[in-house]
Amino acid sequence: MEIIKTLFSYSFIMRAVIVGILVSLCSSVLGVSLVLKRYSMIGDGLSHVSFGALAIAAALNSSPLMVSVPIVVIAAFFLLKISKNSFLGGDAAIAIFSSSALAVGIVVTSMTSGINADICNYMFGSILAMSESDVYISVILSAIVLILYLLFYNRIFAITFDESFSRATGSRTDLYNMAVAVLTAITIVLGMRIMGALLISSLIIFPALSAMRICRFFRGVILCSAIISVLCFFTGIVLSYALEVPVGASVVLVNLAVFMLSSLRAKIKA
Amino acid sequence: MKEILTVKNLTLSYEGKNVLENINFDVQEGDFLVIFGENGSGKSTLIKALLNLKMPSKGKITLREGMRHCDIGYLPQAALLEQNFPASVWEVVLSGTLNKMGLKPFYTKKEKDIAKKNMELLSIYDLKRECFRNLSGGQKQRVLLARALCSANSLLLLDEPVSGLDPAATADFYEVICKINDAGTAVIMVSHDVHSSLSVAKHVLHIGAKTTIFFGTPHEYEIEQMGGR
């Protein structure tokens, strides 16, 4: 309790908590669809693109969110297209895409500021990352993501469950797939500086997997995933402060623990 | 009898190569058409064309006036669904009503009533709170059929509906589908199972070697098959 009190006395931690919780919410609900549709790698690809975009933003000395949101949204379009590319194979195409984006980011930074602490923060996340204006942008964007998700919820269920039926009965499945990819892109950009490029995709994948081991219905899985994600983020940030470890890594490890517990519970029940 | 679907001189092709040529058939109100064809005969391409997911390179598919392609209730092959999907039967059936909702984001009483009615028709309303993935093959088909009925009730298109079902579940499925057909819904069923589907069919279309081998009633089909031997 004492730790939590001191934690909230720092305004930079408050900022990280606010943004982190919103990002956890967005990523956990979107993650369920991505995992079920076998698109989890898209999250990973986008986080690497987002690293490249942040490096470019830093080199141009402009606002990180303003530059990286559009770049990553465009990348989401391409990733979705190439993940269906039968010539390269979806997973290989995404791997090429991510490592290239990462390489561009590293080259751009080493040519401008050099490999420094900033790069390290982008890779592994930092609790100090959020400025006040970042918080405003993040709150607005994540509210938009959540509202759109809610409005599209029934459609997203339908295309996740059975895309061919949805397409046959006249749903614009490409539009909804794209919407999910774009919302994911925005979420990843928002969360990346706290969680780090290498760790952000876990926020998408872990809560969804844990929730799927606990709940049996789609709505239950979505709600459960959201709750798990927020609790894990909060616990992770408290632990990171108490044990003085980077926040991204501690959030991932808390998520891993929850995932193992839920798998164990499913095993015992079965 | 009025036609609800007419296919005239239909040719379908991929990258310039014809998969099907010059197909002609029609579906009447209350009809039960079974489509046979060997693997690779272009059955799935024909289904795509009927659902407007593939443009004909020649010929025409005409629907009854006022009907759109998305008004065809579709039952995809169950084997293609993700096996571990967490969803309740209720969630699955309700999603069939989405194509009639326009821009409305949430289900209202109207959609719930449609779902309930169709589930009662297929006697699966008591499965409402069950998890879809835990159902038996036959129950799954009923759920997907209820979903298809929610999206359309004048014409159903079934893609290999009994493949993977055991004989008891197959008989049960045919019974259900005949009940729906008797109630006035026209049915197009693509099938491998020639023998038992002949007993439920009102018309048969046999496609092979890119074109129509036979189109007529099951009785005529049986005669022709015997003559062929």
Side-chain angles (χ1 to χ4, degrees), chain A residues 32 35-38 150-155 157-158 160-162 164-171 176 212 215-221, chain B residues 51 53 70 74 76 81-82 85-88 91-92 95-96 98-99 101-102 104-107 129-134 144 147-148 151:
Chain A
V32 174
V35 167
L36 282 167
K37 285 183 81 78
R38 318 249 169 226
L150 206 64
L151 290 177
F152 284 156
Y153 168 78
N154 289 318
R155 267 94 180 167
F157 167 78
T160 312
F161 179 71
D162 188 349
S164 57
F165 176 82
S166 301
R167 203 179 316 124
T169 48
S171 284
Y176 295 119
M212 277 161 61
C215 296
R216 301 183 306 139
F217 298 166
F218 193 73
R219 187 159 64 174
V221 169
Chain B
L51 295 170
L53 302 176
C70 62
Y74 176 50
L81 290 178
E82 162 78 44
F85 201 99
S88 69
E91 286 174 317
V92 173
S95 72
L98 277 169
N99 67 334
M101 280 170 51
K104 211 165 56 171
F106 304 113
Y107 300 121
R129 304 227 154 270
E130 290 295 316
C131 184
F132 181 76
R133 64 181 167 203
N134 297 340
L144 296 180
R147 178 183 65 167
S151 68

Side-chain angles (χ1 to χ4, degrees), chain B residues 16-212:
Chain B
K17 278 192 195 132
N18 289 356
V19 186
L20 285 172
E21 284 170 0
N22 219 9
I23 302 283
N24 288 290
F25 66 92
D26 51 48
V27 178
Q28 314 280 332
E29 262 173 21
D31 209 345
F32 196 134
L33 172 71
V34 176
I35 302 179
F36 298 133
E38 289 70 45
N39 282 333
S41 59
K43 281 176 302 186
S44 19
T45 313
L46 181 59
I47 290 177
K48 279 191 186 146
L50 293 177
L51 295 170
N52 206 22
L53 302 176
K54 168 117 191 84
M55 283 294 137
S57 45
K58 250 190 263 161
K60 238 179 134 179
I61 300 174
T62 337
L63 291 168
R64 181 176 64 193
E65 216 180 291
M67 204 174 144
R68 297 164 304 160
H69 281 276
C70 62
D71 293 327
I72 301 177
Y74 176 50
L75 184 78
Q77 291 186 32
L80 302 177
L81 290 178
E82 162 78 44
Q83 293 305 311
N84 266 321
F85 201 99
S88 69
V89 167
W90 181 240
E91 286 174 317
V92 173
V93 177
L94 256 183
S95 72
T97 62
L98 277 169
N99 67 334
K100 288 187 187 138
M101 280 170 51
L103 291 173
K104 211 165 56 171
F106 304 113
Y107 300 121
T108 55
K109 189 167 182 305
K110 188 180 141 214
E111 281 79 28
K112 289 175 185 166
D113 286 345
I114 295 175
K116 184 170 181 237
K117 193 190 84 198
N118 287 313
M119 287 169 87
E120 279 167 348
L121 179 71
L122 300 180
S123 27
I124 49 167
Y125 194 64
D126 54 327
L127 298 178
K128 188 179 167 187
R129 304 227 154 270
E130 290 295 316
C131 184
F132 181 76
R133 64 181 167 203
N134 297 340
L135 300 180
S136 72
Q139 286 172 324
K140 276 184 186 163
Q141 284 300 59
R142 281 182 183 238
V143 173
L144 296 180
L145 200 55
R147 178 183 65 167
L149 283 173
C150 286
S151 68
N153 45 20
S154 52
L155 179 60
L156 281 182
L157 178 56
L158 318 176
D159 189 0
E160 305 271 357
V162 295
S163 67
L165 295 188
D166 60 47
T170 302
D172 177 70
F173 184 82
Y174 280 135
E175 198 178 303
V176 171
I177 201 73
C178 286
K179 190 169 137 194
I180 294 169
N181 184 237
D182 289 342
T185 304
V187 177
I188 302 176
M189 178 168 85
V190 174
S191 181
H192 264 123
D193 177 21
V194 178
H195 181 71
S196 46
S197 39
L198 276 180
S199 62
V200 292
K202 292 177 183 161
H203 284 98
V204 175
L205 172 71
H206 187 165
I207 50 177
K210 289 187 187 173
T211 187
T212 312

Side-chain angles (χ1 to χ4, degrees), chain A residues 19 22-23 26 137-147 186 190:
Chain A
V19 175
L22 286 170
V23 168
C26 297
I137 299 177
S138 305
V139 169
I140 293 169
L141 284 179
S142 42
I144 292 175
V145 170
L146 287 173
I147 290 170
I186 295 172
L190 295 182

Side-chain angles (χ1 to χ4, degrees), chain A residues 66-78:
Chain A
M66 291 304 185
V67 175
S68 44
V69 169
I71 293 183
V72 180
V73 166
I74 293 168
F77 274 89
F78 282 106

